[in-house]
């Protein structure tokens, strides 16, 4: 429970813009073939890798659950995760006129990202409550102290990513 709460906390901070995961992945596809089966395969792989920062909060819980299940159930979960990621692409290939309903990128995406970040933090609060029921107040305090240090480290990392010196390291 504490590990899942920590992961969701980190992903929530990412969605709130404290630091960025995957910003360097956007240039990875420059050497990928553009046509044929290999081009289609590598385009799908690239789309999955680039989408990871957006989908990780939702898939993280499913993957965590899948890893605790039997191999058959885990394979079934991963199969449906793959189908879920591929379905929009397949539908848009068969119905290209539906592209007009796909929202255009814009500032609204920043607000939606923050909304999902706050949802993840709400999940963290619930998981901390569950941990308190399971292990008591001491476990909650230890987790909260750990999350405080994680948030401080990620905040400093966010400054470094932006090319700024950390305010804690300035002289």
């Amino acid at each position: 429970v504490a590990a899942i709460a920590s992961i969701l906390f980190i992903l929530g901070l990412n969605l709130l813009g404290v630091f960025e995961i995957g910003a360097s992945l956007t240039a990875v596809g420059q050497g990928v073939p553009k046509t044929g089966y290999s081009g289609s395969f590598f385009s799908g792989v690239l789309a999955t890798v680039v989408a990871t920062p957006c989908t990780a909060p939702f898939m993280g819980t499913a993957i965590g659950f899948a890893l605790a299940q039997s191999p058959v159930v885990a394979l079934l979960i991963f199969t449906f995760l793959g189908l879920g990621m591929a379905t929009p692409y397949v539908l848009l290939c068969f119905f290209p006129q539906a592209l007009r309903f796909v929202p255009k990128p814009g500032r609204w995406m920043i607000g939606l990202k923050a909304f999902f970040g706050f949802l993840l933090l709400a999940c963290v609060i619930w998981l901390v409550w569950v941990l308190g029921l399971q292990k008591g107040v001491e476990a909650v305090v230890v987790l909260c102290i750990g999350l405080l240090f994680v948030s401080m480290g990620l905040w400093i990392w966010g400054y470094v990513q932006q090319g700024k010196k950390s305010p804690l390291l300035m002289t």
Side-chain angles (χ1 to χ4, degrees):
V1 172
I4 293 171
S6 299
I7 291 169
L8 292 180
F9 182 74
I10 290 168
L11 293 171
L13 291 179
N14 172 248
L15 291 176
L16 290 170
V18 173
F19 71 103
E20 292 295 325
I21 297 175
S24 61
L25 296 174
T26 55
V28 169
Q30 293 177 354
V32 174
K34 304 287 188 241
T35 58
Y37 289 124
S38 63
S40 297
F41 174 77
F42 285 113
S43 292
V45 169
L46 179 63
T48 302
V49 169
V50 171
T52 298
C54 301
T55 59
F58 309 106
M59 290 193 327
T61 306
I63 290 170
F65 175 76
L67 293 176
Q69 301 304 308
S70 69
V72 173
V73 173
L75 184 61
L76 192 62
I77 290 170
F78 284 113
T79 300
F80 279 99
L81 283 172
L83 287 173
M85 288 192 74
T87 300
Y89 291 104
V90 171
L91 289 174
L92 290 173
C93 286
F94 284 119
F95 306 103
Q97 66 274 18
L99 279 170
R100 70 174 187 248
F101 297 111
V102 175
K104 302 290 184 240
R107 281 197 59 73
W108 67 270
M109 295 172 68
I110 297 169
L112 183 63
K113 188 172 125 175
F115 173 74
F116 286 131
F118 286 116
L119 280 180
L120 286 180
L121 293 180
C123 290
V124 171
I125 292 169
W126 174 74
L127 287 169
V128 169
W129 174 73
V130 169
L131 180 68
L133 292 177
Q134 291 178 338
K135 298 291 183 178
V137 174
E138 294 82 13
V140 169
V141 171
V142 169
L143 176 62
C144 289
I145 290 170
L147 294 178
L148 175 66
F149 283 112
V150 165
S151 64
M152 287 170 48
L154 292 174
W155 179 69
I156 291 170
W157 185 25
Y159 263 84
V160 171
Q161 283 182 324
Q162 296 170 9
K164 301 175 185 175
K165 282 186 173 181
S166 166
L168 300 177
L169 304 176
M170 290 183 170
T171 56

